[in-house]
Amino acid sequence: PLKHILLTDEVPSGVHNISAIQGMAGSGKTTIAEYLANDDEIRQRYDGGVLWATLGQDPDILKKLIDWICAIGDSESQLETIDIASARLRSRLQEKAMLIVLDDVWEPDHVRPFLVGGSKSHYLITTRRLFVVDEIKAKQHKWQAMTPDQSLALFAARLDRSLEESERKEA
């Protein structure tokens, strides 16, 4: 369902399209986000590219915004504040179809400077905290730990081949 949403959801101009994978620590939220961000159909849909930032409890937001600015081939000069860096990104990304991934989000205020994409973009957030999902008005995708069979299927999909018996036992 989440992949389908990433491929089909359209929103009106001025509205942020945010999906959040929410669940307990170690349940595979980041792994699922990585899988989606590297999926060929997702990459085609978001032909402007994928921007990824892992935030954690105490993120250096300005540095992460500057890293993104550099990643899109822009200059980082005169970017002394989060607001200036965020505005620069917003001006460069408005017409692009971007998948913007914010991994390990702990606070809603950490998300806001990264809301820089236009109406063709989609945000994918991973968090363990339900109040983050609520405050940023994201579509919640509650995530439970994968079963062993689901985990093995994910490994096989990432490798693009079946797992050998020895690999299955090791995994």
Side-chain angles (χ1 to χ4, degrees):
L2 180 52
K3 180 178 174 180
H4 178 76
I5 288 168
L6 291 173
L7 291 173
T8 60
D9 252 9
E10 300 274 337
V11 296
S13 182
V15 176
H16 296 295
N17 201 357
I18 307 171
S19 293
I21 303 171
Q22 187 268 322
M24 61 187 238
S27 63
K29 299 178 300 290
T30 298
T31 302
I32 293 303
E34 287 173 348
Y35 176 77
L36 291 167
N38 288 298
D39 181 87
D40 289 338
E41 289 178 281
I42 299 285
R43 291 272 181 169
Q44 288 174 6
R45 163 70 173 84
Y46 298 99
D47 57 2
V50 175
L51 291 173
W52 183 292
T54 301
L55 300 185
Q57 289 180 312
D58 189 27
D60 185 344
I61 292 172
L62 181 59
K63 181 183 180 328
K64 292 182 184 302
L65 289 169
I66 289 171
D67 289 347
W68 281 8
I69 289 166
C70 293
I72 64 169
D74 200 349
S75 167
E76 64 173 282
S77 63
Q78 307 295 319
L79 300 175
E80 298 172 358
T81 70
I82 290 170
D83 289 342
I84 292 170
S86 186
R88 169 78 63 86
L89 267 170
R90 191 172 297 106
S91 71
R92 301 300 190 271
L93 301 180
Q94 280 305 298
E95 300 304 316
K96 296 182 184 226
M98 306 289 298
L99 178 61
I100 298 172
V101 182
L102 299 173
D103 183 38
D104 195 23
V105 175
W106 284 73
E107 299 294 334
D109 288 341
H110 295 164
V111 172
R112 291 182 181 97
F114 295 96
L115 297 178
V116 294
S119 62
K120 299 176 190 173
S121 294
H122 197 112
Y123 301 88
L124 180 58
I125 310 295
T126 70
T127 185
R128 20 182 123 172
R129 303 176 126 194
L130 183 56
F131 81 92
V132 170
V133 176
D134 292 340
E135 286 195 33
I136 63 173
K137 296 179 178 36
K139 293 177 193 121
Q140 179 189 16
H141 303 275
K142 185 120 175 94
W143 191 253
Q144 304 294 326
M146 287 186 273
T147 66
D149 286 341
Q150 290 170 325
S151 297
L152 292 171
L154 182 60
F155 282 140
R158 288 291 297 242
L159 294 171
D160 198 26
R161 65 174 175 80
S162 296
L163 296 176
E164 296 177 12
E165 188 57 34
S166 62
E167 293 172 315
R168 292 179 64 80
K169 286 180 182 177
E170 187 175 334

